[in-house]
Amino acid sequence: MNKTAYTKEMIACLRCDTLSEIPEVQHNQRAVCPCCGATLFSRKKQSVERTMAVALAGLLLFFPALTLPIVGIRAIGLYHEASLIECLAALIDNQFFLVAICVFMFTIAVPFIRLFTAFYLSWQLSKQHITPRLLIFFRSYHQLDHWAMLSVFFLSIIVSIYKLQSMASLSIGGGLISLLLLLLCSTLVSNALDHHLIWQKLEQALVSTR
């Protein structure tokens, strides 16, 4: 749920439901409710540019995160390493189809679409190409925002490393570092995106086309 809900010229506080006029807010400033003092929204500095840069960095990290080895294991004179793609292939070979589908959806498909949507939105806004169809992309971003499970997947890898380190010699691969940076980019995108600014611009575009 969004932190604020507003009509054309009014904004409603979700803490006390007070309606007030939408104030002019500069970068790094926030609007507060005149009744209860709760934050209505804040204007983030260079939100569009920062979102576009972080989303692009995350998209570029996908290839090494998928193809580079995550962890290497050496035991009894044997050494084996596997990438995320190889892990998915192993799950399919062992007929763990449901697990493979979940890993693919929540660690690859959803994060990729989410980052691509954020990049496309910020790129269109930076070019002032604001059209009603961007509303679909923004709604998709909100829907997918709760389905990205990169943090859960990364935590499971860390737990596995902790349990295996007493049984074998482990080495960290470039895939794990790429996954960590990808998780960082995914978090920074959520922080950099100015939801209120995008809703405002989309609303203006929708009104102008009527």
Side-chain angles (χ1 to χ4, degrees):
M1 181 181 292
N2 296 333
K3 293 182 180 179
T4 56
Y6 58 91
T7 57
K8 287 185 178 180
E9 300 295 337
M10 306 293 291
I11 187 168
C13 175
L14 293 187
R15 177 183 291 181
C16 65
D17 295 330
T18 299
L19 280 174
S20 55
E21 293 185 0
I22 300 177
E24 290 292 333
V25 177
Q26 303 300 321
H27 294 306
N28 293 330
Q29 292 183 342
R30 62 190 181 98
V32 297
C33 175
C35 182
C36 67
T39 299
L40 299 176
F41 66 92
S42 59
R43 184 58 52 86
K44 299 177 181 179
K45 185 178 181 180
Q46 295 180 325
S47 170
V48 174
E49 293 80 5
R50 289 166 56 199
T51 301
M52 183 166 54
V54 174
L56 179 60
L59 291 172
L60 293 176
L61 283 168
F62 256 97
F63 182 75
L66 293 178
T67 57
L68 292 180
I70 297 176
V71 177
I73 301 177
R74 186 182 298 277
I76 58 173
L78 300 176
Y79 181 77
H80 180 73
E81 59 184 14
S83 64
L84 180 55
I85 291 294
E86 291 170 338
C87 292
L88 283 173
L91 288 172
I92 295 173
D93 289 339
N94 289 280
Q95 298 184 351
F96 293 113
F97 300 116
L98 181 59
V99 178
I101 292 173
C102 290
V103 171
F104 174 77
M105 287 295 298
F106 300 134
T107 64
I108 299 178
V110 171
F112 180 84
I113 297 173
R114 181 173 170 271
L115 285 173
F116 176 79
T117 302
F119 174 78
Y120 181 77
L121 274 169
S122 56
W123 180 68
Q124 290 287 77
L125 289 172
S126 67
K127 299 296 183 182
Q128 298 298 321
H129 294 161
I130 304 172
T131 59
R133 67 180 179 181
L134 287 182
L135 183 61
I136 300 175
F137 280 88
F138 198 42
R139 284 175 176 169
S140 300
Y141 177 86
H142 277 287
Q143 292 293 329
L144 296 174
D145 200 28
H146 305 288
W147 290 95
M149 299 294 180
L150 271 173
S151 56
V152 177
F153 182 74
F154 188 80
L155 180 61
S156 66
I157 294 175
I158 299 301
V159 172
S160 300
I161 292 175
Y162 176 77
K163 290 185 175 182
L164 290 172
Q165 66 178 355
S166 61
M167 303 167 52
S169 177
L170 303 179
S171 60
I172 303 300
L176 186 61
I177 298 174
S178 298
L179 277 175
L180 174 61
L181 295 175
L182 182 58
L183 176 60
L184 180 63
C185 288
S186 180
T187 304
L188 290 177
V189 162
S190 298
N191 269 339
L193 199 65
D194 193 332
H195 296 258
H196 178 79
L197 176 65
I198 295 178
W199 279 123
Q200 191 176 42
K201 288 183 176 293
L202 290 176
E203 184 183 54
Q204 292 171 356
L206 288 172
V207 170
S208 63
T209 56
R210 290 176 182 174

